Amino acid sequence: GGTACSQGGPGKGMYTKLYTNAINKHGHWLWGIECVMSSFSDTGLVGLYSQAEHPYAKHLLSVTVQQMVGIVDDITPEDLERSKNQYLSTIFMSCEERMMLVEGVGRSYALYGKLWCPTEIQEKVQALTLSDVRRVGSSLFRSNPTYVVYGNTKLAYSYADIQRVFATIGNVKGGGGAPAA
């Protein structure tokens, strides 16, 4: 997350990359920025949800795109290991609560047609490399983005502008080098 008071109580999320790289630098106008993600059997959805007052609409888009590019370009081996550990911790802790365990079993069958046991998941997660993450991350910029603005939209970029930014990023090796929005 990218907010100081997200689900789980105050302070949770304060050390995420979104919080340290976006809110700490732009907190006087950036209300929040959070990653959203959904998994499906054949695809997935990844995005950033960010909020600011309308006079900062163009700045908001610039910061949001910079953070998306950072998913591809700014991840370090330490970041990857921390993410792996956090994910595996979540998986193993979910096995301790019956309701979450049942939900996990249902999701596994619905998405994959089989039950993945935690040790199988652990092996797959531990096998992930930085190049895997960068390969998948750079694919985020190869499809048409979804762009939603609500409130006073007079200062917001047009969808054509957003498409141009994504096309530029998608054509750069590794997905990096976003032009200033």
Side-chain angles (χ1 to χ4, degrees):
T3 59
C5 296
S6 55
Q7 184 179 13
K12 183 176 172 266
M14 290 182 68
Y15 298 101
T16 66
K17 283 187 163 259
L18 289 176
Y19 195 90
T20 57
N21 294 340
I23 293 180
N24 277 352
K25 293 178 183 175
H26 308 287
H28 60 286
W29 60 266
L30 178 63
W31 293 346
I33 183 168
E34 298 179 44
C35 183
V36 293
M37 186 178 78
S38 294
S39 298
F40 304 98
S41 62
D42 60 345
T43 190
L45 172 70
V46 176
L48 293 180
Y49 170 75
S50 51
Q51 316 97 39
E53 288 189 58
H54 74 275
Y56 298 100
K58 291 194 177 189
H59 297 296
L60 180 64
L61 180 64
S62 179
V63 168
T64 303
V65 169
Q66 288 170 3
Q67 296 308 305
M68 288 194 75
V69 171
I71 292 170
V72 179
D73 290 345
D74 297 340
I75 189 168
T76 66
E78 295 81 20
D79 294 330
L80 180 59
E81 288 306 310
R82 186 173 29 256
S83 295
K84 287 179 182 182
N85 290 337
Q86 182 179 7
Y87 180 71
L88 290 173
S89 173
T90 301
I91 295 295
F92 289 120
M93 288 176 63
S94 71
C95 293
E96 295 178 7
E97 294 183 38
R98 184 172 300 247
M99 183 185 244
M100 292 189 70
L101 182 61
V102 170
E103 181 183 318
V105 168
R107 186 180 317 113
S108 183
Y109 275 112
L111 290 175
Y112 309 109
K114 73 172 239 165
L115 176 62
W116 285 82
C117 71
T119 53
E120 288 176 299
I121 295 170
Q122 182 178 19
E123 290 170 5
K124 296 282 188 189
V125 168
Q126 293 298 358
L128 284 173
T129 65
L130 270 177
S131 62
D132 294 331
V133 173
R134 288 187 175 127
R135 177 180 44 80
V136 171
S138 65
S139 72
L140 295 174
F141 300 102
R142 292 193 190 108
S143 61
N144 287 326
T146 299
Y147 174 59
V148 178
V149 178
Y150 62 93
N152 185 342
T153 62
K154 290 179 182 173
L155 298 176
Y157 283 98
S158 72
Y159 185 71
D161 293 333
I162 304 300
Q163 285 182 305
R164 278 191 293 278
V165 169
F166 267 64
T168 301
I169 295 168
N171 289 329
V172 174
K173 186 175 186 224

